[in-house]
Amino acid sequence: DTLSLQQSISVCIVDLAKGYENKFKTKGDTFVINCCNKALEYYPNNINALLLKVETMKQQFDNYMKFYKTENPNEVLKIEEPQKLFSEMEKIYMQIYTLGYRTMPDEMYINWLLTLRTEPEKYINTEINTNFNNIKTDKK
């Protein structure tokens, strides 16, 4: 399915957040959360925005555990802010699951990559390529 203009903007905002995270080597940064929230305003089911947001929140929760010098999450969950964070994380995890997202097992991914290399014609959409080539030749 094609993306609307708003959905495309959402994808760009997530790319911005990932670029920021990569460039500044941050984990759990509020800028990333703010970008994800803005992206989700434009495209509420943007799975990449949801995944990035919940990963960032998980890092924030881990930071709480470090701050309170504990490895037991139950100790941190007695405190209001981490408890709110954890509750929101649970909601996002459920939303991700409800949308049908599943992590691909490593073995399946490796097999797919091998098939992509050995049988590339299987993954070529000739209709798209033909239409793209027609567009290019029409402009000449």
Side-chain angles (χ1 to χ4, degrees), residues 75-137:
E75 290 180 29
V76 176
L77 287 172
K78 295 174 185 173
I79 304 163
E80 186 178 352
E81 281 303 310
Q83 197 283 326
K84 283 181 183 178
L85 181 67
F86 189 82
S87 178
E88 188 176 349
M89 285 169 48
E90 284 182 315
K91 288 177 189 173
I92 295 171
Y93 280 125
M94 281 307 301
Q95 183 180 1
I96 290 169
Y97 183 81
T98 302
L99 288 171
Y101 178 83
R102 304 294 183 273
T103 303
M104 182 183 286
D106 290 340
E107 185 178 336
M108 183 186 288
Y109 180 69
I110 290 169
N111 288 337
W112 174 75
L113 285 176
L114 289 172
T115 305
L116 186 61
R117 189 174 266 181
T118 58
E119 303 174 47
E121 66 282 349
K122 211 174 169 180
Y123 299 99
I124 295 173
N125 186 332
T126 55
E127 185 178 321
I128 291 174
N129 287 338
T130 302
N131 288 338
F132 182 70
N133 289 333
N134 289 340
I135 291 169
K136 286 171 60 176
T137 54

Side-chain angles (χ1 to χ4, degrees), residues 32-93:
V32 174
I33 295 285
N34 290 339
C35 285
C36 291
N37 288 339
K38 185 55 74 177
L40 291 166
E41 280 181 37
Y42 287 100
Y43 184 8
N45 291 334
N46 182 337
I47 196 71
N48 290 317
L50 291 166
L51 287 168
L52 180 58
K53 181 176 180 177
V54 80
E55 287 170 7
T56 305
M57 293 170 77
K58 168 74 170 83
Q59 185 60 50
Q60 289 177 337
F61 189 81
D62 290 345
N63 291 343
Y64 275 120
M65 289 181 53
K66 286 178 190 170
F67 179 79
Y68 290 106
K69 298 177 181 150
T70 183
E71 292 184 17
N72 183 353
N74 291 325
E75 290 180 29
V76 176
L77 287 172
K78 295 174 185 173
I79 304 163
E80 186 178 352
E81 281 303 310
Q83 197 283 326
K84 283 181 183 178
L85 181 67
F86 189 82
S87 178
E88 188 176 349
M89 285 169 48
E90 284 182 315
K91 288 177 189 173
I92 295 171
Y93 280 125

